[in-house]
Amino acid sequence: MANPLYDQLFGCHAGKTTPFLHLPDGVTLTHAGFVARAARFANVLRAMGIAPGDRLAVQIDKSPDALAVYAACAQAGVIFLPLNPAYTAEEIRYFVTDSGAAAFVCQPARREEMAPVAKAAGTRLETLGAEGEGSLAAQADAADDSFTTAERSADDLAAFLYTSGTTGRSKGAMLTQGNLLSNAQTLVDLWQFTSNDVLLHALPIFHTHGLFVATNVTLVAGGAMVFLPKLDIDQLIAHMPQATAMMGVPTFYTRLLDDARFTRDVAANMRLFISGSAPLLAETHAAFEDRSGHRILERYGMTETNMNTSNPYDGERRAGTVGLPLPDVELKITDPETGKILPDGEIGSIEVRGPNVFKGYWQMPEKTAQELRADGFFITGDLGHRDADGYVTIVGRDKDLIISGGYNIYPKEVELLLDDQPGVLESAVIGVPHPDFGESVVAVLVARRGAEPDLEQITADLGASLAKFKQPRRLIVLPELPRNTMGKVQKNVLRETYADLFQPRA
Ligand code: MLC
Ligand code: AMP
């Protein structure tokens, strides 16, 4: 019987008494203990009638049990669908319904709020808390700690991650076992991870970065993690001397730099700092080296492809670039209009192909065909160029996307809600520079003739339907939106006008 993802991430560690998770309260979970806990959850899933190929949607806090549910899905052949706890019930309704999830696991405190969501989706509702509470944990406590692993192949689906879309509708990116495994193995080799590594883990585990990059890489290497519930600078600094590596979005690095306690001594045991998910400013790179003596290694990836490029471990880590294509990833820069390959140095659309590239969007063959070419190249929507020596630089995005603190916001989703508000004729949502989050969301509104939109009411209304990180930090009313001769809204003009909105005054 084979199940490559389970066997190579989890099963191979069964019986090992080496540490896997160091928790902030001082407790350490061994690899063997973790594998046994995962088997209990796998038994619970099977007892519920959840079969290989079914989806399990989870919107739960980060905890060892949450990670064990991921492992359980791999072992039972169930497709894991993690969701950001920041999502509102309205947002969740779409994901659970669209995915046809066989069950939905929510935080115990939100059970009542989510009951109508599960009912509308015709799915079963369970709960799981970070402290070992909830209905799923209770069933796991009573379940057997061994499980006959479901047979799967590298081509079978392992996870769905929803990514927002330019039309406002989220798309379920279907990732296979082979997508996840091939990338994790490539990164272990490239970044030289071994069983001696201890990764400082403060990222969320419902996105590619914290789950597939950080966790899978550690698991393939057989290493351990200091597993923090979220980014808390006090804890990050306190636990750094225990760790050898860290992965974070740029906000991790700017926040460390803002703290005088972060020194060379604190980072003395570390061998590697990795950044990704959003652009790392070259000045942050330089300031970090000055302070800690470490050159951050920047890499580039996305939900649909996992990681595509990385700066080298041993060679030059070039600030402002995302490095070279991974050994098993082909990358080309093309003309966005014609798809023709452009020469080195010219800016164009970044396309990638390799074992890392997803299968397509769940039940969206047309969207899949628009972005995933028949020859296997995925059109990333990022714009960049490649130097003669292979280094790739991202210069912008062809897609209308805002990245705030590593979370993606598609303006269309927010604009559709704003346009429905009383007194609002039209809106444009933009990202402007923000010192902590990199970019922050700003909404520009145009009032209907004679109307005066109630901005407080609008803010409250958005709050009820949109996760906090997507909500505009500012609402600005203008007499009209800037347009080009074709009548298209010039968001670049708005971005320039409001570029200094969140910048500290000189
Ligand atoms: C939290 N808030 C955010 C936010 N995160 N607002 C905008 N953007 C964000 N990213 C809100 C909170 O709700 C809160 O609202 C306020 O901001 C301040 O909260 P905080 O406590 O300061 O935020 P914090 O919990 O510290 O979170 C910031 C963060 C976190 C940057 C640490 O967002 C984070 O961990 N981001 C990582 C995202 C990630 O993993 N991305 C990878 C995607 S995968 P209020 O008003 O209630 O106070 C991918 C592919 C790849 O992109 O290449 O990796
Ligand atoms: P997501 O859809 O959450 O997976 O976000 C993927 C997007 O994040 C990419 O398409 C890029 O626009 C952006 N991204 C990821 N890593 C980097 C990086 N190192 N530099 C700049 N942008 C990045």
Side-chain angles (χ1 to χ4, degrees):
M1 291 275 253
N3 179 325
L5 188 71
Y6 179 76
D7 296 345
Q8 290 172 53
L9 292 188
F10 308 106
C12 57
H13 302 308
K16 279 192 200 163
T17 53
T18 45
F20 174 42
L21 299 178
H22 299 289
L23 304 176
D25 61 4
V27 170
T28 293
L29 242 94
T30 62
H31 280 105
F34 179 80
V35 169
R37 183 73 178 156
R40 289 177 185 271
F41 280 110
N43 277 310
V44 173
L45 299 183
R46 185 166 288 172
M48 284 180 192
I50 302 179
D54 285 349
R55 276 76 60 205
L56 181 75
V58 306
Q59 188 196 26
I60 49 182
D61 288 321
K62 181 177 175 183
S63 73
D65 264 0
L67 209 55
V69 172
Y70 164 53
C73 283
Q75 190 169 22
V78 172
I79 300 171
F80 187 59
L81 195 177
L83 296 159
N84 189 339
Y87 288 143
T88 62
E90 207 172 305
E91 289 166 315
I92 290 295
R93 184 189 302 271
Y94 171 77
F95 299 125
V96 175
T97 310
D98 183 71
S99 64
F104 170 46
V105 187
C106 72
Q107 296 154 308
R110 293 182 79 182
R111 187 181 180 108
E112 263 182 48
E113 184 195 356
M114 293 301 176
V117 172
K119 193 161 179 234
T123 196
R124 178 183 183 124
L125 184 65
E126 298 286 341
T127 59
L128 182 64
E131 306 299 330
E133 73 280 27
S135 61
L136 205 72
Q139 293 167 75
D141 292 343
D144 202 87
D145 67 1
S146 74
F147 179 85
T148 310
T149 303
E151 190 157 1
R152 298 265 95 187
S153 73
D155 211 33
D156 281 321
L157 295 179
F160 278 13
L161 290 191
Y162 273 84
T163 89
S164 305
T166 40
T167 55
R169 270 193 75 200
S170 286
K171 304 167 286 184
M174 301 188 288
L175 293 147
T176 65
Q177 289 209 348
N179 293 150
L180 305 183
L181 263 184
S182 64
N183 213 236
Q185 274 155 350
T186 299
L187 298 175
V188 165
D189 292 343
L190 197 72
W191 296 338
Q192 302 188 12
F193 270 81
T194 71
S195 57
N196 294 326
D197 273 305
V198 179
L199 182 87
L200 191 49
H201 194 304
L203 285 161
I205 53 167
F206 45 78
H207 275 318
T208 301
H209 198 163
L211 189 61
F212 301 143
V213 190
T215 306
N216 288 0
V217 161
T218 304
L219 282 163
V220 167
M225 300 194 274
V226 176
F227 205 57
L228 304 177
K230 59 173 286 209
L231 177 61
D232 170 322
I233 285 295
D234 293 345
Q235 289 201 350
L236 205 70
I237 291 174
H239 289 282
M240 200 171 281
Q242 208 184 328
T244 61
M246 187 184 93
M247 299 184 194
V249 299
T251 303
F252 279 44
Y253 294 100
T254 50
R255 287 195 188 174
L256 276 174
L257 285 170
D258 280 345
D259 197 307
R261 294 170 301 171
F262 177 62
T263 58
R264 232 164 241 260
D265 279 351
V266 167
N269 194 47
M270 295 288 286
R271 68 170 183 90
L272 184 59
F273 288 94
I274 299 175
S275 176
S277 309
L280 182 78
L281 297 179
E283 66 204 48
T284 307
H285 194 278
F288 198 85
E289 185 173 14
D290 258 9
R291 179 84 71 86
S292 68
H294 287 276
R295 283 183 77 76
I296 298 171
L297 183 156
E298 186 171 4
R299 94 306 178 272
Y300 156 60
M302 56 196 308
T303 302
E304 290 89 337
T305 64
N306 287 304
M307 298 305 99
N308 295 314
T309 73
S310 170
N311 272 280
Y313 186 79
D314 284 325
E316 186 195 350
R317 297 180 195 168
R318 203 174 287 173
T321 81
V322 293
L324 308 148
L326 299 182
D328 51 359
V329 175
E330 288 171 83
L331 183 146
K332 59 183 185 179
I333 308 285
T334 59
D335 182 317
E337 302 297 324
T338 63
K340 284 214 175 96
I341 296 183
L342 294 174
D344 285 346
E346 281 192 30
I347 294 173
S349 183
I350 300 177
E351 299 191 25
V352 294
R353 178 165 72 180
N356 55 320
V357 174
F358 76 141
K359 270 258 164 155
Y361 298 114
W362 170 247
Q363 292 182 336
M364 288 189 176
E366 282 166 22
K367 286 255 169 261
T368 303
Q370 276 167 19
E371 297 178 31
L372 189 57
R373 295 187 191 279
D375 65 2
F377 270 97
F378 179 67
I379 306 165
T380 62
D382 292 307
L383 297 173
H385 61 79
R386 179 166 35 190
D387 290 356
D389 53 1
Y391 282 75
V392 176
T393 303
I394 298 176
V395 298
R397 300 174 202 130
D398 207 13
K399 51 193 175 191
D400 193 10
L401 166 70
I402 300 167
I403 305 184
S404 165
Y407 288 146
N408 291 4
I409 300 113
Y410 272 88
K412 194 80 199 166
E413 185 183 359
V414 187
E415 287 162 1
L416 287 173
L417 290 170
L418 287 170
D419 294 348
D420 272 352
Q421 293 290 324
V424 174
L425 177 67
E426 58 175 353
S427 63
V429 168
I430 53 167
V432 301
H434 187 278
D436 187 34
F437 290 131
E439 281 184 303
S440 205
V441 183
V442 170
V444 181
L445 306 175
V446 177
R448 285 187 184 283
R449 189 190 287 264
E452 209 174 307
D454 179 344
L455 300 188
E456 260 178 46
Q457 183 57 44
I458 293 178
T459 305
D461 254 41
L462 290 191
S465 23
L466 279 183
K468 186 102 199 180
F469 70 90
K470 297 183 195 167
Q471 295 168 25
R473 293 285 165 125
R474 293 285 167 84
L475 296 174
I476 294 165
V477 182
L478 286 186
E480 59 182 13
L481 297 176
R483 292 184 188 275
N484 65 15
T485 48
M486 309 288 286
K488 195 172 177 312
V489 176
Q490 290 174 301
K491 287 199 172 178
N492 55 328
V493 172
L494 291 173
R495 279 193 286 265
E496 272 164 35
T497 308
Y498 298 109
D500 293 333
L501 207 56
F502 296 109
Q503 297 303 337
R505 287 185 202 287

